[in-house]
Amino acid sequence: MAASHVNTPMMEQYRRIKVEYPDAILFYRLGDFYEMFFEDALVASKILAIALTSRNRGDPDEVPMCGVPYHSAEGYIAKLLRAGHRVAVCEQLEDARFAKGVVKRDVQKVLTPATSVETTPETTGESCYTASVFADTCSVGLALGDLTTGDFRVCELTSSGMLERLSDELERRQVKELIRPETAGALDEILRPMSSVFQTAVQDVRFSPAAAAQELREHFGVSELDGLIPAEWPAARRAAGALLHYFRSLRRASLSHLRRLSCYDPSDRLVLDPGTLRNLELLRNSRDGTSAFTLLEVLDHTTTPMGARFLRSALTAPSRDLAAINERLDAVGELVENSAVRHKLRDGLRHVSDIERLVSRITLGVAFPRDLIQLGRSLEPAPECLRHVESLRAALFGALASGWDCCTDLADLIAKSILPSPAAVLKEGGIIRDGWNAELDELRALSRDSKSTIVAMEARERDRTGIGSLKIKFNKVFGYYIEVSKPNLRLVPPDYLRKQTLANAERFTTPELSEYEAKVLGAEEKICELEERLFVEVRERLSREAPRLQDLAARIAVVDFVMALAEQAVEGSYCRPALHAGSRLRLADSRHPVIERVTPTRFVPNDCEMDDATRQILIVTGPNMGGKSTYLRQVALCAVMAQMGSFVPAREAVLPVFDRVFTRVGASDNLAQGQSTFMVEMVETAQILNSATSSSLIILDEVGRGTGTFDGLSLAWAIVEQIHNQVSLRAKTLFATHYFELTELELQCPRVKNCHITVKEGKDRIVFLRKVKDGRADKSYGIHVAALAGLPKEVVERAREILGNLESNELDPLGKPRLARSRRAADGRQLVLFEPPAPPELAGLKQDIENIKIEELTPLEALNRLHEMKKRMQNAK
């Protein structure tokens, strides 16, 4: 019995479908629930914290199962996706009331962490890129697609270091999902460590030139691909074609919102590798990985999700195009000066929702009525926004206003067709406005008039039968009926048909009432069906206009981005940077944009002067906690902000256009790959020395501290010399260090200059002035900082004794330093640690020297005595 139950036609259908999706959790629609069986149920019940039950409980063939209501499935699916699972959604393809045998079912979509438009993303300001990568012997193709917004772009990387550049690009784009060929080859080295990214191996044939070209031609409706992707980018074509196939395999719906394919070259942007993104805390802080206390948080005054995503993109990939940067700075500057327009734009855009993601839901056929209402409200501010943009003079605003389509016809379509507060579920009705469809209006009139019609019918029946208490009622089980109390049953006419007998009454119907019931109830069902059909028609009309809506969203994103930068420029008293093609860097009274907001005391601004002639490398010395790291980072942040088109936290800023910003900061290890802290430090430093150019900016903080003092000092010295002397390198470099010996480089290398963080020293305490001045620091004040940190007093005092010995360079008779000369034993005798006993051969040497009477020696005797002592010293070694 159990086996037959497990092998029912329904379960056989389930197994057939599940075989096609072995790597996904199958949501199998059964009536009002999505059910999961077998291993899927075991996994899902734990993640979703729902009850695990079974079919045929207690039997050897017991089938584990669990389920969730279909109308609230979105939240459950989102949890599974966040846990790193795929979800295959299997729907009923026919009405169970009219099905013969098992209801037809099939998977309509497969949801993955980066491709689910049905679930609300955790951060609306982030993109959800799926990356497709393909590598051959001389190039790497990269395609990036965001199914939730319609963003689709490709690039091709060539020459040396292309795999490292691929890794940088994947990190910069914050890729959520990645597809690669089954035979990944050299890509394995890069992709294997990316454990946080959801990865899928796709059949190699999907990356073949023929298959990829066919996908691209069919999707974009072109016969030649040169207008889409250059012929010189064959690897990019293969990656893009495979990505389109992957998206199609997930969705049985149109991908028409993926219409804008853009080709880009990462070298056109300021390159920020993963280490730099992390060390400068551009997007995430190093403490809990959130955006709190980051540059993103400081700059993000955007009011729309599209603007927030544009800000992220600009922040992680600033421009190197001087003209484009200045065009953006002109726009920011105009809004800084024109506060009235800035505030009006901000007020208008505050009501704009995520148009890009709404359009994606519409084109994929998963948008609900409330999504359309949200889109309509987001289109309403567009005409007013255009008027404000047209009033501005900057070239960027002129370009945005030219061709600006407010999509007012689409807003009108939504306003005239959809109710302002529509039902949440399609099949319940309550979606379409009166006046949109004549047939719907007639059906609604019939439904609305049913009450008055029934009242009139009830009055007629009372008059006809003489039963004053006769009532016509309705319930969901029996429909409409006439209720007559038992004392009046003798007055019931012959045409009444009995439906139900109660204790005190009986219920009847008549041919007229049955006919009217069928008409009214049929109208209600038809209303729901018709409203759903009409809604789908409106949704499809909007879907055909996706390019117009996407173009408007892109323009709003730029306006929102520029407005946000202007808002922060005013709030933070930033200045407009002067960028140029030369080499001079000058920052007057620069500040750290994040720290100045959170520090409880006044932030101390600092200057920075650098050039290629005399100040290429700055060696920064000074006490711990004095502000060296802050100083280094604020210079780098000012460069990043300037090239993204932002004003910068300084009184004056003159900056060259950099090609890359490198940072080597802090201590971290990579135990999974067998790399110690020092190895990671050296690997990152090697990448800098091998990749930087004379147009780069390098930030080095305490390089060489992860090993022995002499090894570390030697490496740090050699690294500075290499940056200074290598003609192809010669990058502007700020090097913070506690190796005071490095300050001697200023005497040997003409483009190395020393600067230091100033302090004010009192008795047993110091005050950090945090001001940067030229010249070297006199000491590191490490023991003072240790005292401030709360080290026991005896430890601090002992450290001062040892430091005094080291600084005085005291030597023992063998020329070795006495590290701990001044510690004394309890009896008052001096206890000398680390001092070896004198060799017996030298036991009387000191006494002999003291006994010599120099005035009584002849020159020859003095030479002989000196020769004798030298021999004794040599024999003692």
Side-chain angles (χ1 to χ4, degrees):
M1 183 66 180
S4 63
H5 184 75
V6 173
N7 293 319
T8 61
M10 187 273 289
M11 290 304 295
E12 289 177 359
Q13 180 192 63
Y14 170 85
R15 285 193 180 91
R16 285 198 306 272
I17 296 172
K18 177 61 181 175
V19 166
E20 298 180 29
Y21 302 92
D23 58 347
I25 292 177
L26 182 61
F27 268 44
Y28 183 80
R29 181 74 177 269
L30 276 176
D32 290 340
F33 281 81
Y34 287 115
E35 300 288 356
M36 289 153 277
F37 300 98
F38 301 105
E39 185 65 26
D40 287 355
L42 297 174
V43 172
S45 63
K46 292 180 181 178
I47 297 172
L48 302 178
I50 57 178
L52 179 68
T53 181
S54 65
R55 295 172 70 92
N56 228 28
R57 183 182 295 273
D59 197 276
D61 294 306
E62 180 179 320
V63 178
M65 64 178 292
C66 64
V68 299
Y70 84 95
H71 57 79
S72 59
E74 180 180 305
Y76 294 105
I77 290 173
K79 282 186 179 180
L80 292 172
L81 296 178
R82 285 196 292 270
H85 292 278
R86 296 170 178 266
V87 176
V89 182
C90 178
E91 300 286 6
Q92 294 180 173
L93 303 183
E94 59 181 344
D95 193 322
R97 295 174 298 174
F98 309 114
K100 294 181 179 179
V102 180
V103 176
K104 291 181 181 177
R105 296 180 178 85
D106 201 0
V107 170
Q108 297 300 293
K109 56 195 174 187
V110 178
L111 307 179
T112 66
T115 63
S116 173
V117 300
E118 288 81 356
T119 57
T120 303
E122 294 181 38
T123 306
T124 57
E126 288 188 27
S127 296
C128 292
Y129 282 119
T130 299
S132 171
V133 293
F134 176 82
D136 55 26
T137 55
C138 57
S139 62
V140 173
L142 171 63
L144 295 162
D146 186 343
L147 203 61
T148 70
T149 64
D151 190 5
F152 193 18
R153 58 186 68 205
V154 298
C155 70
E156 183 142 333
L157 307 172
T158 58
S159 72
S160 62
M162 58 189 180
L163 291 179
E164 288 75 15
R165 291 166 62 201
L166 170 65
S167 178
D168 292 349
E169 190 67 8
L170 293 173
E171 178 74 20
R172 182 175 73 82
R173 296 287 180 180
Q174 301 288 292
V175 168
K176 302 291 190 299
E177 190 170 344
L178 188 146
I179 69 168
R180 56 182 177 79
E182 287 180 326
T183 309
L187 289 173
D188 269 342
E189 179 184 348
I190 296 295
L191 304 183
R192 194 184 305 110
M194 299 178 64
S195 57
S196 61
V197 178
F198 189 89
Q199 298 190 29
T200 302
V202 175
Q203 291 177 320
D204 291 347
V205 67
R206 292 300 169 189
F207 287 87
S208 68
Q214 182 179 353
E215 287 284 351
L216 291 166
R217 289 193 188 100
E218 289 181 357
H219 181 77
F220 290 101
V222 297
S223 57
E224 296 295 331
L225 298 181
D226 289 355
L228 285 174
I229 305 174
E232 309 83 66
W233 287 13
R237 288 185 176 185
R238 295 166 77 169
L243 184 58
L244 277 176
H245 170 79
Y246 178 68
F247 283 155
R248 281 200 308 105
S249 71
L250 300 179
R251 296 274 176 174
R252 295 191 178 180
S254 168
L255 299 177
S256 58
H257 65 303
L258 293 172
R259 302 304 303 175
R260 298 178 297 168
L261 177 62
S262 59
C263 299
Y264 73 101
D265 184 354
S267 63
D268 291 339
R269 300 285 167 178
L270 173 65
V271 178
L272 305 171
D273 60 32
T276 299
L277 291 174
R278 181 176 62 253
N279 293 329
L280 294 182
E281 296 184 301
L282 297 183
L283 303 178
R284 295 187 173 92
N285 67 55
S286 58
R287 291 165 293 282
D288 58 12
T290 67
S291 62
F293 309 113
T294 64
L295 183 58
L296 175 65
E297 183 188 49
V298 170
L299 298 179
D300 194 0
H301 292 272
T302 59
T303 60
T304 70
M306 298 89 69
R309 287 193 291 273
F310 194 97
L311 173 64
R312 267 180 186 269
S313 178
L315 180 56
T316 55
S319 179
R320 291 179 57 198
D321 185 332
L322 187 56
I325 296 170
N326 281 320
E327 185 178 78
R328 193 174 283 179
L329 288 170
D330 289 341
V332 173
E334 187 169 6
L335 283 184
V336 166
E337 298 298 326
N338 197 332
S339 60
V341 172
R342 188 175 76 249
H343 293 151
K344 289 176 182 177
L345 281 171
R346 187 173 184 81
D347 291 340
L349 294 183
R350 199 185 303 276
H351 304 289
V352 176
S353 300
D354 200 334
I355 297 176
E356 290 178 328
R357 286 193 166 131
L358 289 171
V359 169
S360 296
R361 290 174 64 87
I362 289 169
T363 57
L364 291 172
V366 298
F368 289 105
R370 293 178 184 178
D371 292 324
L372 268 58
I373 292 298
Q374 201 172 8
L375 175 62
R377 290 172 181 163
S378 299
L379 297 178
E380 291 174 1
E384 184 70 17
C385 182
L386 173 59
R387 283 192 288 273
H388 294 315
V389 170
E390 287 176 330
S391 71
L392 299 168
R393 300 183 304 277
L396 179 58
F397 292 126
L400 290 172
S402 176
W404 182 295
D405 182 356
C406 294
C407 299
T408 51
D409 57 324
L410 303 183
D412 290 342
L413 169 64
I414 296 170
K416 291 176 180 178
S417 61
I418 308 298
L419 287 168
S421 299
V425 182
L426 285 182
K427 298 186 181 298
E428 292 181 354
I431 300 170
I432 304 298
R433 277 183 180 271
D434 288 341
W436 180 252
N437 180 270
E439 180 185 357
L440 178 62
D441 291 344
E442 290 178 9
L443 291 169
R444 280 180 172 166
L446 177 62
S447 179
R448 282 195 297 265
D449 294 344
S450 63
K451 186 174 183 180
S452 59
T453 302
I454 290 298
V455 170
M457 189 182 297
E458 185 179 76
R460 287 199 311 271
E461 289 302 311
R462 285 176 179 172
D463 291 341
R464 182 165 76 92
T465 62
I467 304 172
S469 61
L470 180 147
K471 293 181 180 179
I472 297 180
K473 298 181 179 181
F474 173 85
N475 66 36
K476 292 184 178 181
V477 177
F478 291 101
Y480 286 100
Y481 56 85
I482 300 171
E483 186 170 287
V484 180
S485 61
K486 281 199 173 180
N488 293 310
L489 289 178
R490 57 187 175 77
L491 300 175
V492 170
D495 60 332
Y496 274 33
L497 304 174
R498 184 175 282 104
K499 292 186 77 170
Q500 187 184 18
T501 299
L502 302 177
N504 300 319
E506 291 197 17
R507 293 173 176 176
F508 302 87
T509 187
T510 66
E512 180 188 13
L513 184 59
S514 295
E515 182 181 347
Y516 186 77
E517 177 186 12
K519 189 175 181 181
V520 171
L521 296 182
E524 293 290 346
E525 187 173 336
K526 287 180 181 177
I527 285 172
C528 292
E529 292 175 355
L530 183 55
E531 285 202 68
E532 183 178 3
R533 178 167 60 81
L534 292 171
F535 170 77
V536 170
E537 289 176 0
V538 173
R539 189 171 66 188
E540 289 175 349
R541 286 176 63 179
L542 292 170
S543 177
R544 291 192 290 272
E545 303 297 337
R548 294 173 58 196
L549 291 165
Q550 288 174 322
D551 181 72
L552 175 61
R555 294 170 189 264
I556 288 175
V558 177
V559 173
D560 193 19
F561 163 75
V562 173
M563 182 190 67
L565 295 185
E567 192 75 20
Q568 178 55 31
V570 173
E571 182 180 298
S573 300
Y574 292 178
C575 76
R576 173 173 176 159
L579 285 98
H580 58 93
S583 65
R584 186 188 179 204
L585 183 153
R586 168 172 164 72
L587 293 172
D589 290 338
S590 68
R591 291 120 46 205
H592 192 294
V594 180
I595 295 178
E596 73 168 344
R597 286 182 51 162
V598 299
T599 183
T601 57
R602 185 184 72 87
F603 188 92
V604 178
N606 274 298
D607 299 344
C608 182
E609 286 274 1
M610 301 184 78
D611 57 52
D612 287 351
T614 61
R615 300 177 68 90
Q616 174 205 337
I617 301 173
L618 298 183
I619 303 295
V620 186
T621 52
N624 288 300
M625 294 179 58
K628 298 193 300 297
S629 297
T630 298
Y631 179 66
L632 268 58
R633 286 173 172 84
Q634 72 192 48
V635 173
L637 289 173
C638 284
V640 171
M641 292 172 67
Q643 288 188 224
M644 70 178 285
S646 171
F647 283 26
V648 301
R651 178 171 53 80
E652 179 188 355
V654 178
L655 294 158
V657 176
F658 292 106
D659 62 355
R660 295 193 65 155
V661 174
F662 295 94
T663 61
R664 163 85 277 284
V665 175
S668 62
D669 55 33
N670 191 343
L671 299 180
Q673 297 187 25
Q675 294 182 341
S676 66
T677 299
F678 184 65
M679 175 58 79
V680 170
E681 180 181 333
M682 289 298 101
V683 167
E684 292 182 1
T685 305
Q687 291 172 346
I688 293 173
L689 296 179
N690 292 327
S691 304
T693 72
S694 58
S695 297
S696 302
L697 175 64
I698 300 175
I699 302 298
L700 299 175
D701 196 351
E702 301 295 352
V703 169
R705 301 292 288 185
T707 185
T709 301
F710 294 132
D711 283 351
L713 173 59
S714 302
L715 285 166
W717 188 289
I719 289 166
V720 174
E721 282 188 339
Q722 177 76 354
I723 296 172
H724 181 273
N725 297 332
Q726 183 69 34
V727 176
S728 61
L729 185 50
R730 291 196 178 177
K732 289 182 178 59
T733 303
L734 288 97
F735 194 138
T737 184
H738 281 293
Y739 290 135
F740 291 105
E741 294 83 353
L742 293 183
T743 59
E744 300 296 324
L745 282 162
E746 184 182 67
L747 304 176
Q748 303 183 27
C749 302
R751 293 184 303 280
V752 172
K753 294 298 176 185
N754 293 322
C755 59
H756 68 284
I757 308 293
T758 56
V759 298
K760 182 178 181 181
E761 186 174 4
K763 183 178 181 181
D764 297 332
R765 63 185 299 271
I766 56 172
V767 177
F768 299 113
L769 301 180
R770 306 191 190 283
K771 200 68 180 175
V772 178
K773 293 186 177 180
D774 280 353
R776 54 182 279 177
D778 54 354
K779 51 186 173 181
S780 68
Y781 298 93
I783 295 176
H784 292 79
V785 174
L788 292 175
L791 250 61
K793 184 177 181 180
E794 58 270 23
V795 174
V796 173
E797 292 301 324
R798 180 63 178 144
R800 286 198 175 103
E801 288 181 355
I802 296 173
L803 177 63
N805 294 336
L806 289 172
E807 290 177 340
S808 63
N809 200 29
E810 291 190 2
L811 304 178
D812 64 13
L814 295 180
K816 296 180 180 180
R818 295 173 174 171
L819 299 182
R821 177 182 57 80
S822 61
R823 172 154 294 187
R824 298 185 179 278
D827 61 359
R829 293 175 300 166
Q830 180 168 309
L831 177 63
V832 182
L833 301 179
F834 315 125
E835 183 178 328
E841 295 86 346
L842 299 180
L845 182 60
K846 181 175 180 293
Q847 186 64 43
D848 289 351
I849 294 174
E850 290 177 349
N851 292 335
I852 293 176
K853 295 181 180 180
I854 299 176
E855 66 280 3
E856 297 179 1
L857 292 178
T858 65
L860 182 58
E861 289 175 333
L863 287 174
N864 288 334
R865 295 289 294 272
L866 180 61
H867 179 68
E868 178 187 346
M869 287 187 287
K870 183 177 179 181
K871 286 179 64 176
R872 290 172 65 183
M873 288 289 295
Q874 289 174 342
N875 293 334
K877 292 182 179 179

